[in-house]
Amino acid sequence: MLSARSLFQEILDNDDSYRLFCSIAASGEAQGGWENARIAALVPDSMRALAPRITRHGADEDKHGRIFHALLRKRGLEPLPVPPETDYTMLLERQGIGLTHDKLRREEPLSDEDIVVYLSHSRVTEQRAADQMVMLVKYFGDHPEVGRAIRMISNDEDNHLAYCHEELLRLASEGHGRTIQRVLRESALAEIRIYRDVSLAVMSHMGRLLHWPAPKAAALAAGIHGLYTYERLGGWHRMISLRMPERRGALDGPAPAAPAF
């Protein structure tokens, strides 16, 4: 039976597919770490109080990248170059979502609106990350090789999502509500398309590595298209709602260490 559990188990059991999975994940986390570090450095004076939390967000992402590299080393594997069609972060940037790397490379302070855009974009992408990690914890949280890493990353992603909710609600109360609403909608509708395209690309690569028969590859592609249809018809609304989280101040303080990795 084709299921998320059996699919991921198959990827875990094969060194080539596992190498690709960890390489893609490590690259995405490293990009997130760099982006957040640059945003923290360029925060405008009017929002300087946010800088420590943005720095913590970036430190968490860097830690996740190191964890995926450590999982590769544990098997004696080296990371692969990430195929461009699977680069979720850069594909979102090309769609005009979030802050561009060109802007982040400059030494010019960001504007208040830039920070609102960053947090709104993050609320959408962190929802995706948190959902994925919840699924992985459900099926592989006790796995002897990856379970500890998955649980740690999932907890961090929940913190990131809580931080986005809390800060966006605060900014909405300060008069940024219309911008937040607009950027959330634009980001969510773009994200679900990019997630579909990246998922199809990743599954195509995995299919070649694992020698999937055509019917299996077609069934997986159909499932990805089905998820996109559901999200396009209304599922995307879960990515733009805002509510005060139970975890308040989720990114206060330094990032917890991960000495085991």
Side-chain angles (χ1 to χ4, degrees):
M1 179 180 175
L2 197 57
S3 65
R5 182 198 293 269
S6 64
L7 178 65
F8 194 68
Q9 186 67 61
E10 192 174 357
I11 291 169
L12 274 178
D13 290 344
N14 180 280
D15 279 352
D16 290 333
S17 55
Y18 182 75
R19 185 185 182 198
L20 178 62
F21 168 80
C22 288
S23 297
I24 291 172
S27 175
E29 298 289 357
Q31 285 188 64
W34 179 84
E35 289 170 2
N36 279 279
R38 290 302 299 154
I39 292 166
L42 300 174
V43 169
D45 290 340
S46 58
M47 294 191 176
R48 181 52 52 185
L50 267 175
R53 292 181 178 182
I54 301 172
T55 298
R56 161 70 184 275
H57 191 176
D60 283 345
E61 303 287 2
D62 280 337
K63 178 183 71 179
H64 300 168
R66 294 195 303 274
I67 287 172
F68 283 112
H69 280 296
L71 291 174
L72 285 170
R73 287 197 303 273
K74 190 173 180 180
R75 278 207 197 176
L77 302 172
E78 292 293 327
L80 287 167
V82 173
E85 64 274 17
T86 69
D87 193 332
Y88 172 81
T89 303
M90 293 309 299
L91 289 170
L92 281 173
E93 180 181 337
R94 287 176 195 162
Q95 290 292 309
I97 302 302
L99 302 180
T100 67
H101 283 191
D102 179 63
K103 174 175 282 194
L104 296 181
R105 290 189 183 99
R106 301 173 198 160
E107 294 301 329
E108 301 170 7
L110 298 171
S111 66
D112 288 5
E113 183 166 329
D114 286 332
I115 300 303
V116 172
V117 167
Y118 148 71
L119 283 167
S120 300
H121 166 246
S122 295
R123 186 264 175 270
V124 170
T125 56
E126 292 297 340
Q127 182 72 60
R128 181 72 71 187
D131 289 349
Q132 288 181 319
M133 295 313 301
V134 165
M135 182 270 291
L136 289 176
V137 167
K138 176 181 177 182
Y139 296 129
F140 295 96
D142 295 326
H143 191 278
E145 185 174 10
V146 301
R148 185 175 182 183
I150 287 172
R151 293 194 307 273
M152 183 180 296
I153 294 171
S154 182
N155 183 67
D156 288 345
E157 300 297 1
D158 287 344
N159 283 338
H160 299 167
L161 188 57
Y163 145 77
C164 291
H165 277 273
E166 184 176 1
E167 296 301 339
L168 285 171
L169 286 169
R170 179 182 62 79
L171 289 169
S173 72
E174 294 175 1
H176 297 281
R178 285 185 180 274
T179 301
I180 291 169
Q181 195 173 48
R182 172 180 59 81
V183 177
L184 283 174
R185 186 179 190 281
E186 291 172 356
S187 297
L189 290 174
E191 194 280 342
I192 63 173
R193 291 195 307 272
I194 296 301
Y195 183 71
R196 174 200 61 193
D197 295 345
V198 168
S199 297
L200 289 169
V202 170
M203 288 300 105
S204 177
H205 282 279
M206 292 298 180
R208 286 193 291 273
L209 292 172
L210 295 168
H211 308 292
W212 286 340
K216 181 174 183 176
L220 286 169
I224 292 168
H225 284 294
L227 174 62
Y228 171 73
T229 299
Y230 160 75
E231 292 190 328
R232 187 64 185 84
L233 291 175
W236 62 276
H237 288 286
R238 81 186 189 286
M239 308 176 86
I240 67 169
S241 62
L242 293 175
R243 64 185 181 279
M244 190 56 69
E246 292 182 10
R247 300 186 187 193
R248 304 288 292 275
L251 294 190
D252 289 344
F261 299 98

